[in-house]
Amino acid sequence: MNFFRLLAGFVLFLLPFDAQMETARPIYSSAKIKTVVIDAGHGGKDSGSQGTVSKEKTIALKIALQVGKYIQENMPDVKVIYTRSGDKFIPLYERAEIANRSQADVFISIHCNSLPPKKSNINGTETYVMGLHSTEENLSVAKRENEVILLEDNYSKHYQGYNPNSPEAHIMLSMYRNAYLDQSILLAEKMEHQFKNKAKRSSRGVKQAGFVVLKATAMPAVLVETGFLSNKEEEAYLNSEKGQSYMASSIYRAFREYRDAVEQGAKSKEIKTLPAVKNTQDVYYKILLSSSTQRINTNSSAWKVVKELELVPVKNGYQYLSERCKSYNAALQRQSFYRKNGFPDANIIAFNGSKRIALSRAKELLGE
Ligand SMILES: [Zn+2]
């Protein structure tokens, strides 16, 4: 399968170990893709990257509108929602809220990349999913895209004090593991495949980093960097009608393939039942510390006792999970610790990869 081979090519060494394990499982969850949110990056007072002759916000919007048009023309049963359809400033949290409110099945954020003049020779596409960054380059792309929030009024209120200028804050952000990582990677891979093979662009691959806009979306979400405005030729390409329509149709085709894969996968019976797991390296327990409908402030001292807090967006809000435990006994000890330290409702839950499984199944797989 193409997907896994390509992933082995670019993603494996970029992704943290957890994510590597996760790519080896079936990916399908919801049966129908009914709504897609297309997010043209930046807008209004926020121009995004500046090329010699163009601005990121303008190109992103043109491509975004064209993607939406292709979807509307060819998939009448899919609802397209734009976060902006004109030159308007939209805060990052609002972009995510638009997607969450409309219960979108997919979120696609469209951007253009940029590097300092010294690196103006670099070109190519990149598609990001939420996750641990592994290179300085990924970090700087995310930092640049997140800096937008400094232009927002009251930004600290909306992002729990997250400061895009602080490298530590960025690393913390990237550690929130999106519950939809599998699907996001599948979609991202299809994007890069289209850019490379249909639009004949140079693909820099699927990457992970901490993006504010991706973190807050409760659905599979990708952020596409369509090319570098700091590269003269690529800027000209992205400004041309041909370039924009090639990029837009690549994104559309990737979305279409993704939809087909998810919907066919959901239809097939085999995929609904968990396959037998041969290696049990990816079976583990976590402590479900708390659930909430609104995001709660986890910067407060009560949360300091939690080793590796994981926030998981669920249908009606959020779940807050502890670090992994490798055995049921270890999980029992951690549960008792958390119950004594401010989380009286702490409960043990089990996973296979990022999929929730029954405790009894986990014990069986681990031979406990
Ligand atoms: Zn951008």
Side-chain angles (χ1 to χ4, degrees):
M1 282 204 357
N2 216 352
F3 171 48
F4 293 109
R5 211 185 49 229
L6 273 164
L7 273 176
F10 5 76
V11 186
L12 269 182
F13 84 103
L14 287 169
L15 296 183
F17 180 72
D18 286 3
Q20 292 179 21
M21 296 302 297
E22 282 165 22
T23 57
R25 287 175 295 98
I27 293 171
Y28 314 103
S29 61
S30 65
K32 272 243 160 234
I33 307 278
K34 289 180 231 141
T35 306
V36 55
V37 168
I38 300 174
D39 175 47
H42 314 275
K45 64 183 173 185
D46 166 28
S47 299
S49 302
Q50 302 268 352
T52 315
V53 295
S54 56
K55 292 174 175 155
E56 179 183 358
K57 65 172 183 178
T58 316
I59 296 172
L61 180 62
K62 284 187 176 163
I63 296 175
L65 293 175
Q66 217 162 323
V67 173
K69 203 181 118 210
Y70 289 142
I71 296 175
Q72 281 163 335
E73 283 170 2
N74 297 295
M75 300 176 169
D77 52 332
V78 174
K79 187 173 169 192
V80 174
I81 295 171
Y82 299 104
T83 53
R84 68 180 179 100
S85 53
D87 184 18
K88 199 179 158 199
F89 180 78
I90 317 268
L92 290 182
Y93 73 88
E94 206 172 304
R95 295 169 191 263
E97 265 173 26
I98 290 170
N100 293 344
R101 249 196 330 262
S102 56
Q103 295 189 305
D105 302 294
V106 177
F107 180 86
I108 301 170
S109 191
I110 298 171
H111 292 255
C112 306
N113 229 327
S114 179
L115 280 168
K118 261 200 299 192
K119 294 182 173 173
S120 63
N121 60 322
I122 289 176
N123 69 332
T125 62
E126 295 176 340
T127 303
Y128 282 89
V129 300
M130 186 71 192
L132 274 169
H133 73 88
S134 48
T135 66
E136 278 301 310
E137 272 178 20
N138 298 5
L139 176 82
S140 66
V141 171
K143 189 166 175 284
R144 185 168 50 69
E145 300 295 6
N146 292 340
E147 261 164 11
V148 174
I149 68 175
L150 296 173
L151 296 174
E152 297 174 15
D153 303 326
N154 256 334
Y155 84 81
S156 59
K157 190 180 118 201
H158 289 117
Y159 304 101
Q160 286 91 35
Y162 166 75
N163 173 2
N165 287 322
S166 146
E168 276 173 354
H170 182 84
I171 289 163
M172 287 300 291
L173 177 70
S174 66
M175 284 167 74
Y176 283 97
R177 202 175 55 167
N178 190 303
Y180 303 94
L181 184 63
D182 294 345
Q183 289 112 315
S184 303
I185 291 174
L186 177 64
L187 177 60
E189 191 281 328
K190 290 190 181 301
M191 295 278 175
E192 287 301 315
H193 182 81
Q194 288 290 333
F195 295 148
K196 189 177 176 191
N197 296 294
K198 296 287 175 197
K200 306 288 180 204
R201 305 306 296 163
S202 124
S203 163
R204 292 166 56 83
V206 175
K207 300 186 171 189
Q208 287 197 323
F211 288 89
V212 168
V213 72
L214 297 185
K215 178 193 163 200
T217 49
M219 74 248 2
V222 297
L223 186 145
V224 181
E225 296 283 359
T226 52
F228 287 82
L229 297 186
S230 45
N231 177 285
K232 275 228 164 70
E233 280 162 52
E234 200 148 65
E235 185 187 18
Y237 177 80
L238 290 171
N239 269 289
S240 68
E241 232 169 78
K242 181 188 155 194
Q244 287 167 6
S245 74
Y246 271 52
M247 294 315 287
S249 77
S250 297
I251 295 170
Y252 157 72
R253 282 161 172 272
F255 171 71
R256 187 183 63 190
E257 278 188 7
Y258 171 81
R259 186 189 72 151
D260 290 348
V262 169
E263 294 188 352
Q264 278 161 24
K267 258 185 244 154
S268 130
K269 263 191 186 157
E270 298 80 31
I271 226 106
K272 278 185 188 158
T273 55
L274 262 179
V277 178
K278 284 195 189 95
N279 84 49
T280 54
Q281 282 177 63
D282 210 23
V283 177
Y284 57 93
Y285 303 91
K286 280 190 169 233
I287 315 300
L288 173 59
L289 300 160
S290 177
S291 310
S292 65
T293 47
Q294 298 288 317
R295 278 282 294 282
I296 42 185
N297 179 7
T298 50
N299 292 323
S300 67
S301 61
W303 293 88
K304 294 252 154 67
V305 297
V306 184
K307 255 197 197 159
E308 290 158 30
L309 180 64
E310 182 191 8
L311 175 74
V312 182
V314 289
K315 239 209 158 90
N316 299 311
Y318 299 91
Q319 289 185 336
Y320 303 81
L321 308 183
S322 74
E323 77 278 12
R324 289 180 178 211
C325 305
K326 290 213 173 90
S327 70
Y328 188 68
N329 267 337
L332 277 173
Q333 282 177 23
R334 295 307 290 163
Q335 178 189 39
S336 136
F337 169 82
Y338 285 121
R339 284 192 172 171
K340 282 183 207 141
N341 285 280
F343 299 95
D345 302 324
N347 263 317
I348 301 173
I349 55 179
F351 291 89
N352 184 3
S354 62
K355 225 182 200 97
R356 180 95 173 252
I357 57 173
L359 286 179
S360 55
R361 175 79 176 138
K363 286 184 194 167
E364 189 184 306
L365 288 167
L366 291 171
E368 292 183 301

